Amino acid sequence: MRYYSLNNPKQTTSFKEAVVQGIAPDRGLYVPERISKLTDSFFQNIDELSQHEIAFQAIHQFVQEDIPDSTLKEILEKVLDFEFPVIPIEENISTLELFHGPTMAFKDVGARFMANCLGHFSQDRSSEVTVLVATSGDTGGAVANGFLGVEGVRVVILYPSGKVSEIQEKQLTTLGQNIVAMEVDGTFDDCQRMVKTAFLDAELKENRKLTSANSINVARWLPQLFYFLFAYKTLKSKSNEIVFSVPSGNFGNICAGMVAQKLGMPVNHFLASTNVNDVVPKFMKKGEYIPQPSVATISNAMDVGDPSNFVRIQHLYGNDFENLQENLSSYSFTDEETKEAILHVYENFGYVADPHGAVGYLGLKKYQQKHPNTHGVFLETAHPVKFLDVVKETLNIEIDIPPQIEQVLGKTKQSIKICAYEQLKTFLLDS
Ligand SMILES: *Cc1c(COP(=O)(O)O)cnc(C)c1O
């Protein structure tokens, strides 16, 4: 498969180069040149296929020239070694739990897949690749865990000091080996600015191979399409009108779901559910895309004022607003509404949702008022324990700490404190 930059469809590159570069030299996002449908029998017989077989068939066309089939199978076995259960909540609502991986956030699959691809590609490279990533919370832990021990790859994670939860900080500062955590005296925006500056720094470019590990990287973005196929496998016998509600921030996850639709998966509609960072809900109403500064909320992994993957979504529907409207609706909800939903779902159905999942649930309820015959799935993107304070305060219950989390809490934090870009640069050049 060839990939091209959305800024220049004429210039194409390989999967390998797209992964190693992260973003195109013209700063555009890479997209696959085409998406070929899977066979009808794949979808008819999907219940007979294992997770690994589904994933292999779905991702094969996107990587085949650059990763041999046997290696791809090995990678998928390493990446998908946990479950993605679909839990019934109401008569016509289920949740797809994506938090059973090592860091209990859905980003584990993308981070692990990208780490393994990059590990494979750096085997034949003389110099090491450095993955540079800024995190406001969940991305850092998933990336640190996914890349731990991958040879030929070094990971440098920047996070804002005092602004991530204790669990999140432990997940990204206690691993050691090829993972370095930089604790920035500043905000998430400051971290992001430093990362962007590094990517544009000519001296660094000459001396180091730098890449990014956020959802603009095709190897982190595309494997998320597996989730939608796994849910379809479980739900296809229940309804022929399936809708997905995806709690969205940078819109990478939902965009991957739309790729699954392009592969031929029968799905009626997508719902992009957001918190008050509502650039896309507003766009879907008025057709005008106006980026905003991000606003802090209790579903903080979605506090994004200018979602980077939305251009990919528009591209998938031919940049045609009406076509997009037929496939996508988008609603935003306040923190107050989110807490009420957490309480409602717990009191009525005995299910503990995290703030992101609760936003997804709200989106479904709103859509189903007008489309009562659909079966809705909302994605649970994080385990409630990762948002312990909010969930405890809202429900007044204790939550058991799962073993993955318990284990990191006992470890010692190791970080390098920095306050200016020059310190990052010196570190990258000298070490
Ligand atoms: C990253 C994240 C999201 C948002 O996903 P996007 O692909 O950026 O839209 C939602 N929930 C959680 C818990 C996350 O970590």
Side-chain angles (χ1 to χ4, degrees):
M1 176 72 67
R2 304 291 293 174
Y3 289 77
Y4 62 82
S5 158
L6 283 177
N7 288 348
N8 180 8
K10 284 200 197 88
Q11 195 145 21
T12 69
T13 193
S14 63
F15 174 69
K16 176 174 168 172
E17 277 312 308
V19 175
V20 173
Q21 292 170 7
I23 195 162
D26 62 13
R27 316 300 299 159
L29 267 63
Y30 282 119
V31 291
E33 201 173 38
R34 64 180 169 277
I35 299 173
S36 308
K37 284 198 167 175
L38 298 171
T39 59
D40 290 345
S41 74
F42 172 84
F43 291 103
Q44 278 151 17
N45 303 323
I46 195 167
D47 5 2
E48 286 156 34
L49 302 177
S50 70
Q51 264 182 15
H52 296 137
E53 286 163 336
I54 294 170
F56 178 80
Q57 294 201 40
I59 202 84
H60 185 246
Q61 63 175 300
F62 298 108
V63 308
Q64 59 178 332
E65 289 90 2
D66 294 300
I67 302 182
D69 287 3
S70 57
T71 308
L72 178 59
K73 282 182 184 159
E74 279 166 27
I75 290 178
L76 291 172
E77 264 165 42
K78 274 192 251 173
V79 170
L80 301 170
D81 69 348
F82 53 90
E83 296 299 312
F84 303 86
V86 176
I87 312 285
I89 303 289
E90 297 184 37
E91 181 67 30
N92 59 350
I93 294 185
S94 308
T95 183
L96 169 63
E97 293 186 345
L98 301 178
F99 55 68
H100 295 274
T103 75
M104 313 214 87
F106 86 93
K107 294 183 171 73
D108 280 328
V109 166
R112 281 177 161 200
F113 188 79
M114 179 183 162
N116 280 281
C117 291
L118 210 52
H120 175 70
F121 296 146
S122 50
Q123 276 171 358
D124 60 345
R125 289 182 165 244
S126 47
S127 64
E128 193 179 58
V129 180
T130 300
V131 172
L132 195 56
V133 62
T135 183
S136 59
D138 265 359
T139 303
V143 167
N145 197 284
F147 281 82
L148 182 67
V150 174
E151 275 177 40
V153 183
R154 174 173 72 149
V155 178
V156 179
I157 301 169
L158 280 72
Y159 74 97
S161 182
K163 297 193 176 67
V164 303
S165 76
E166 187 196 353
I167 290 176
Q168 289 173 332
E169 183 170 44
K170 288 276 178 160
Q171 283 183 326
L172 59 98
T173 56
T174 58
L175 294 174
Q177 294 185 46
N178 59 332
I179 314 293
V180 178
M182 298 216 143
E183 186 174 353
V184 176
D185 182 14
T187 62
F188 170 61
D189 289 340
D190 295 324
C191 298
Q192 230 171 1
R193 209 169 302 127
M194 287 190 194
V195 169
K196 280 191 183 149
T197 310
F199 281 119
L200 297 172
D201 189 315
E203 193 186 349
L204 270 180
K205 222 182 245 174
E206 208 156 285
N207 292 288
R208 291 284 176 267
K209 288 201 177 74
L210 284 187
T211 189
S212 71
N214 48 31
S215 56
I216 57 175
N217 195 303
V218 291
R220 240 203 74 190
W221 164 53
L222 283 172
Q224 302 177 131
L225 67 86
F226 303 155
Y227 307 142
F228 298 83
L229 296 170
F230 296 161
Y232 176 74
K233 169 181 167 169
T234 310
L235 292 172
K236 76 183 253 252
S237 58
K238 275 208 176 148
S239 169
N240 47 20
E241 289 187 55
I242 296 177
V243 298
F244 284 99
S245 174
V246 187
S248 296
N250 254 325
F251 285 67
N253 201 12
I254 191 167
C255 186
M258 291 166 161
V259 175
Q261 182 192 34
K262 297 280 167 189
L263 290 173
M265 183 180 76
V267 47
N268 266 52
H269 205 71
F270 288 94
L271 306 171
S273 302
T274 74
N275 57 34
V276 293
N277 292 282
D278 60 353
V279 182
V280 174
K282 278 194 180 136
F283 173 80
M284 293 310 295
K285 238 189 224 148
K286 299 184 184 144
E288 248 186 312
Y289 185 91
I290 308 167
Q292 296 160 0
S294 65
V295 179
T297 74
I298 57 169
S299 48
N300 59 27
M302 311 197 292
D303 295 349
V304 181
D306 184 9
S308 43
N309 285 289
F310 196 62
V311 284
R312 278 187 172 134
I313 291 181
Q314 289 177 285
H315 167 78
L316 279 178
Y317 296 105
N319 294 309
D320 175 340
F321 189 59
E322 276 174 26
N323 189 4
L324 184 62
Q325 276 180 319
E326 271 168 36
N327 290 286
L328 175 72
S329 302
S330 189
Y331 309 118
S332 87
F333 300 95
T334 63
D335 280 356
E336 226 26 72
E337 290 169 308
T338 307
K339 285 186 195 165
E340 279 164 23
I342 293 175
L343 193 61
H344 173 83
V345 171
Y346 182 67
E347 285 184 339
N348 290 281
F349 314 108
Y351 187 81
V352 182
D354 96 295
H356 303 79
V359 168
Y361 174 80
L362 285 167
L364 267 186
K365 292 305 270 186
K366 185 150 179 176
Y367 182 77
Q368 286 185 328
Q369 284 171 6
K370 289 199 181 134
H371 303 85
N373 296 325
T374 53
H375 188 94
V377 193
F378 66 96
L379 276 52
E380 248 302 355
T381 45
H383 191 288
V385 76
K386 297 196 79 180
F387 299 89
L388 204 55
D389 295 349
V390 178
V391 177
K392 257 174 141 173
E393 173 202 303
T394 309
L395 299 182
N396 230 330
I397 56 167
E398 288 303 316
I399 296 179
D400 290 339
I401 312 272
Q404 293 100 307
I405 304 290
E406 190 87 61
Q407 192 212 345
V408 292
L409 286 177
K411 291 191 180 163
T412 313
K413 160 179 156 183
Q414 277 179 305
S415 69
I416 299 173
K417 292 201 170 164
I418 61 168
C419 52
Y421 172 70
E422 284 306 315
Q423 291 168 294
L424 171 65
K425 180 170 175 174
T426 308
F427 176 83
L428 291 174
L429 286 173
D430 292 356
S431 59

